[in-house]
């Protein structure tokens, strides 16, 4: 038996595979975020010009045949001026939502929101369809850095309702206890390079 292993080099191959799997992989913040985000079912569009952001937004809306979206962000509403879509400033559970976010969490692929984007509504009360506009400068390593960033950005007026979307694939299984909080959303991310 040992003779066959030596002949076919079985021991070396399996020990090399084990060694390769044990080596840590160090990804940059953006690569790490994209890796986790896509593995969780998120749809990702990268842009270096604001015209590309508008172009991608237009295609998302056309692809899904959405005639109306909700958006309560004045700056983001400017992106929709040349897109044939009606906008509603009240966030609802029936219309797709165009919004910004607080941070992108690299080590988990989550997107962090606060009352600045959601108001007083919980994620579970909102639409299953989200289009999120974010910039590369919003990338942070982990949730702790995201919370620290919120605290630093809003000194004296820290927003409430801080929550995150953790999964980007909607599951209808009523048996899945882990989906109780319903923070799974069909999500498109428009990531703009600002660094």
């Amino acid at each position: 038996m040992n003779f066959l292993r030596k002949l076919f080099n079985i021991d070396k191959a399996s020990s090399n595979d084990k060694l390769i799997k044990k080596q840590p992989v160090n990804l940059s913040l953006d690569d790490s975020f994209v890796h986790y985000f896509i593995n969780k079912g998120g749809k990702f569009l990268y842009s270096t010009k604001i015209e590309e952001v508008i172009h991608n937004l237009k295609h998302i809306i056309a692809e899904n045949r959405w005639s109306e979206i909700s958006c309560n962000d004045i700056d983001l509403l400017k992106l929709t001026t040349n897109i044939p879509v009606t906008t509603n400033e009240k966030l609802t559970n029936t219309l797709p939502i165009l919004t910004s976010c607080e941070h992108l969490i690299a080590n988990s692929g989550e997107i962090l929101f606060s009352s600045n984007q959601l108001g007083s509504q919980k994620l579970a009360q909102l639409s299953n369809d989200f289009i999120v506009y974010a910039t590369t400068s919003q990338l942070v390593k982990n949730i702790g850095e995201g919370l620290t960033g919120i605290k630093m950005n809003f000194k004296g007026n820290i927003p409430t309702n801080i929550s995150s979307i953790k999964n980007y694939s909607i599951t209808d299984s009523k048996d899945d206890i882990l989906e109780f909080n319903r923070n799974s959303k069909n999500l498109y991310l428009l990531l703009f390079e600002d660094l």
Side-chain angles (χ1 to χ4, degrees):
M1 193 71 154
N2 252 350
F3 171 73
L4 289 176
R5 287 181 189 216
K6 288 181 182 177
L7 180 65
F8 293 109
N9 204 14
I10 292 173
D11 282 339
K12 286 187 179 180
S14 64
S15 65
N16 283 343
D17 288 344
K18 288 178 187 176
L19 237 160
I20 289 171
K21 289 179 183 177
K22 286 183 180 180
Q23 293 179 354
V25 177
N26 295 321
L27 297 174
S28 64
L29 283 181
D30 51 348
D31 288 337
S32 179
F33 173 79
V34 169
H35 169 76
Y36 289 111
F37 180 78
I38 290 173
N39 282 344
K40 291 180 174 190
K43 294 168 238 19
F44 167 75
L45 297 154
Y46 181 80
S47 305
T48 57
K49 298 178 184 171
I50 202 68
E51 293 80 19
E52 291 174 345
V53 173
I54 295 168
H55 174 78
N56 290 332
L57 177 60
K58 182 177 181 178
H59 282 293
I60 290 168
I61 291 169
E63 176 185 307
N64 290 286
R65 296 185 180 126
W66 292 328
S67 58
E68 187 174 5
I69 62 172
S70 58
C71 177
N72 61 0
D73 186 319
I74 295 168
D75 293 326
L76 290 180
L77 283 171
K78 294 174 187 174
L79 298 177
T80 65
T81 54
N82 293 326
I83 298 175
V85 66
T86 305
T87 56
N88 182 338
E89 290 186 25
K90 184 178 181 202
L91 302 182
T92 70
N93 65 351
T94 57
L95 295 176
I97 295 170
L98 172 62
T99 187
S100 59
C101 66
E102 294 296 342
H103 290 289
L104 305 173
I105 311 300
N107 74 346
S108 63
E110 296 177 38
I111 299 179
L112 192 64
F113 298 96
S114 75
S115 56
N116 291 333
Q117 294 84 33
L118 307 176
S120 62
Q121 296 183 4
K122 303 290 181 209
L123 280 170
Q125 297 170 331
L126 296 172
S127 171
N128 283 336
D129 299 307
F130 270 65
I131 305 168
V132 176
Y133 171 81
T135 61
T136 52
S137 63
Q138 290 176 286
L139 280 163
V140 294
K141 184 176 180 179
N142 54 41
I143 198 85
E145 284 186 16
L147 295 173
T148 300
I150 291 173
K151 187 177 179 182
M152 296 302 292
N153 291 338
F154 301 102
K155 289 180 182 176
N157 192 16
I158 297 174
T160 59
N161 196 16
I162 296 171
S163 54
S164 66
I165 297 179
K166 301 175 192 242
N167 191 8
Y168 310 107
S169 145
I170 306 294
T171 57
D172 292 328
S173 172
K174 294 184 176 155
D175 297 331
D176 190 355
I177 194 93
L178 297 175
E179 291 299 319
F180 177 73
N181 62 0
R182 303 259 323 137
N183 72 349
S184 296
K185 301 292 180 186
N186 174 38
L187 193 136
Y188 293 87
L189 176 64
L190 298 171
L191 185 60
F192 180 67
E193 173 69 57
D194 68 340
L195 295 176

